[in-house]
Amino acid sequence: MDRENKVSITVIRRLPKYYRYLGDLLRKGINRISSQELSKMTGFTASQIRQDLNNFGGFGQQGYGYNVEELYKQLGKILGLDRGYNTVIAGAGNLGQAVANYKGFQDAGFKILALFDKNPKLIGLKIRDIEIKDVDELEDFIKKNNVEIGIITTPKESAQDVADIYMRSGIKGIWNFAPADLRVDEDLIIENVHLNESLFTLSYFLNNKSDYIED
């Protein structure tokens, strides 16, 4: 969809929440919802919801609201969830295994083809039928299997080396769980999930409840 104005990253980060709630509504057999009702569920104002969705076209009808199934389907397309992604995980420790074990990723189209690690005790084991391979095979495996997304769940010290392999191999996007700020090519998309930083932010809020404002 061609748009003259780029969409704010803040808006984009709200879309998965809309998508999740719409999925819940579908499973409950609810076919229609207003922006006011969606507001009560998500915590965003009805006006904000309408503005967010208007970035991508007019989905609602005045006096009717939104068709839940149609909006869910359209948001899935906008988020790129109407297609599949071949994915690998570098780092087969506890965190890597937990990510591989989560069936919801595959249900959403993110197919984890293999895990990779340098620990010989792990190589050859399987996590939910996904084999752990030697990290020395990572680059060739990516090239041969049209892998688009690389997940990093290694210790900090190994994360940049894995990112370098991903870049050489033609990976298009990295989901990074390592507590490291990675240096990557400008055209490579990276999404960082720094668990410690999130936990430390929670700690701040717990200890400074009246000392911050919400955006």
Side-chain angles (χ1 to χ4, degrees), residues 155-208:
K156 176 180 180 180
E157 295 74 22
S158 304
Q160 186 62 54
D161 289 340
V162 171
D164 292 342
I165 293 173
Y166 283 164
M167 284 187 285
R168 288 199 306 270
S169 307
I171 283 282
K172 296 178 180 178
I174 293 176
W175 198 23
N176 174 42
F177 284 85
D181 296 318
L182 304 177
R183 301 179 303 278
V184 299
D185 297 336
E186 289 185 1
D187 59 346
L188 191 149
I189 306 299
I190 184 166
E191 179 72 12
N192 293 301
V193 183
H194 292 164
L195 300 178
N196 276 5
E197 292 180 12
S198 180
L199 184 60
F200 297 164
T201 302
L202 173 62
S203 176
Y204 173 85
F205 288 154
L206 287 173
N207 290 279
N208 301 274

Side-chain angles (χ1 to χ4, degrees), residues 80-202:
L81 302 179
D82 58 334
R83 51 159 298 188
Y85 297 90
N86 286 341
T87 306
V88 294
I89 300 174
N94 291 336
L95 181 55
Q97 293 184 31
V99 173
N101 263 315
Y102 182 58
K103 187 173 178 291
F105 295 138
Q106 183 158 323
D107 292 343
F110 299 88
K111 185 178 182 181
I112 298 174
L113 301 182
L115 295 93
F116 292 83
D117 206 281
K118 63 181 180 181
N119 185 345
K121 295 181 179 179
L122 295 176
I123 295 168
L125 299 179
K126 290 188 176 181
I127 307 299
R128 203 168 54 80
D129 293 327
I130 305 170
E131 186 178 355
I132 301 174
K133 297 177 176 293
D134 193 315
V135 72
D136 290 340
E137 302 176 36
L138 178 56
E139 188 168 346
D140 285 341
F141 185 91
I142 291 170
K143 292 177 179 177
K144 291 177 180 178
N145 290 276
N146 191 31
V147 178
E148 294 183 83
I149 295 177
I151 301 173
I152 299 178
T153 52
T154 65
K156 176 180 180 180
E157 295 74 22
S158 304
Q160 186 62 54
D161 289 340
V162 171
D164 292 342
I165 293 173
Y166 283 164
M167 284 187 285
R168 288 199 306 270
S169 307
I171 283 282
K172 296 178 180 178
I174 293 176
W175 198 23
N176 174 42
F177 284 85
D181 296 318
L182 304 177
R183 301 179 303 278
V184 299
D185 297 336
E186 289 185 1
D187 59 346
L188 191 149
I189 306 299
I190 184 166
E191 179 72 12
N192 293 301
V193 183
H194 292 164
L195 300 178
N196 276 5
E197 292 180 12
S198 180
L199 184 60
F200 297 164
T201 302
L202 173 62

